[in-house]
């Protein structure tokens, strides 16, 4: 049965599309840091040998050790090549080699070997993290498309205290996925119209799918594919044209938002009542001011009218149907009802 497929049993050939967020510094910064450490060890060894050159012997008989000779000795010594043409002969030079240059040699080797080992084991480490994520992920949210709409949707979810590890972003643009990964989100690279890509994202085990694409026809295909994989998932889709709403509904979308038409209405309202637009934006921003939220009816509120509650109630969700607060059908609240109400959002610095 498709809906019960375990993520750990998915085709390993498509595993490379999934990437877990990495909390560490970027690869370029890591390599630059390691290179700086190696250069420091090489430079320190060169100066130590040069200033203690009286204790070293050049077997080639070229006379006094020069700065170039010191750099040459530091290079062959730290890399453990050891040609033996320049050697410490005095007790002081040998003591310094034991106490200082040997630790620098070890540090130099750790940097070089550590970088090589890390590059070789990165694939294995990612594979292990992916397998662990697959075995644990349940009831997560999949966001298809990380453009303007997708980013705004993710920011809203994070503002509502959704765990970043519970959000999976699917896109074909690597740059967008890098931004999402930087926020701690799991990312999947691929075309979401393909069932294999949605399987990698775990759509069959997710609670919600957000379709935030720029093309309506692609949004329809993604919705159809996702609904085939899961009959229970809630699909929220955005379309540009109102005439395509019924196509999304027929494809299995639970909720459809007309992005261009909604923006156009706000533009029209702003020409006469700009304050109304500010209030709407405030309600849609979860970080500060007021926000629209949904909660379960409390036992003490059952039987009462939603209009008499301390909260500003906008509507009541009963079963699968939304009722306006002034509807006679919800004059008396019932157990299991959901309230759509206005709550005061707490800014991050006040938490």
């Amino acid at each position: 049965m498709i809906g019960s497929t375990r993520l750990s049993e998915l085709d390993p050939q498509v595993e490379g599309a999934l990437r877990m967020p990495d909390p560490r510094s970027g690869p370029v910064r890591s390599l630059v840091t390691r290179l700086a450490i190696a250069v420091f060890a090489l430079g320190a060894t060169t100066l130590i040998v040069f200033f203690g050159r009286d204790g070293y012997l050049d077997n080639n008989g070229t006379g006094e050790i020069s700065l170039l000779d010191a750099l040459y000795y530091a290079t062959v010594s730290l890399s453990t090549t050891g040609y033996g043409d320049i050697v410490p002969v005095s007790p002081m030079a040998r003591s310094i080699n034991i106490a200082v240059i040997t630790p620098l040699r070890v540090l130099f080797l750790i940097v070089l070997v550590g970088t090589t080992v890390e590059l070789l084991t990165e694939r294995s480490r990612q594979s292990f993290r992916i397998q662990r994520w697959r075995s644990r992920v349940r009831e997560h949210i999949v966001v298809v498309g990380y453009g303007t709409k997708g980013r705004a949707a993710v920011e809203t979810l994070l503002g509502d205290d959704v765990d970043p590890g519970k959000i999976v972003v699917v896109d074909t643009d690597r740059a967008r996925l890098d931004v999402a990964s930087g926020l701690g989100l799991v990312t999947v690279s691929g075309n979401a119209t393909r069932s294999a890509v949605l399987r990698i994202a775990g759509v069959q085990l997710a609670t919600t799918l957000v379709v935030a694409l720029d093309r309506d026809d692609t949004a329809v295909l993604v919705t159809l594919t996702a609904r085939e994989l899961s009959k229970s998932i809630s699909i929220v889709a955005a379309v540009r044209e109102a005439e395509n709403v019924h196509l999304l509904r027929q494809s299995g979308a639970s909720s459809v938002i007309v992005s261009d038409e909604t923006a156009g209405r706000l533009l029209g309202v702003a020409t006469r009542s700009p304050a109304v637009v500010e209030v709407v934006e405030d309600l849609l921003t979860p970080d500060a001011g007021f926000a629209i939220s949904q909660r379960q009816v409390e036992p003490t509120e059952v039987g009462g009218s939603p209009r008499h509650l301390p909260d500003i109630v906008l509507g009541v969700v009963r079963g699968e149907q939304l009722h306006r607060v002034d509807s006679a059908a919800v004059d008396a609240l019932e157990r299991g009802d959901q309230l759509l109400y206005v709550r005061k959002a707490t800014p991050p610095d006040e938490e």
Side-chain angles (χ1 to χ4, degrees), residues 189-243:
S189 175
N191 188 340
T193 60
R194 297 176 53 210
S195 60
V197 173
L198 292 181
R199 286 174 185 268
I200 299 173
V203 163
Q204 63 274 30
L205 299 175
T207 58
T208 306
L209 172 68
V210 178
V211 183
L213 297 169
D214 295 329
R215 291 175 57 98
D216 290 359
D217 54 350
T218 308
V220 171
L221 288 176
V222 172
T223 302
L224 279 170
T225 306
R227 183 54 72 197
E228 183 181 7
L229 292 174
S230 175
K231 302 301 181 183
S232 61
I233 189 172
S234 174
I235 302 178
V236 182
V239 294
R240 299 173 63 91
E241 304 293 338
E243 62 185 16

Side-chain angles (χ1 to χ4, degrees), residues 109-129:
L109 292 175
I110 288 175
V111 170
L112 293 183
V113 175
T115 301
T116 303
V117 171
E118 181 175 357
L119 291 175
L120 292 176
T121 59
E122 175 65 21
R123 184 180 180 88
S124 298
R125 188 177 65 85
Q126 272 286 328
S127 179
F128 172 76
R129 295 180 65 196

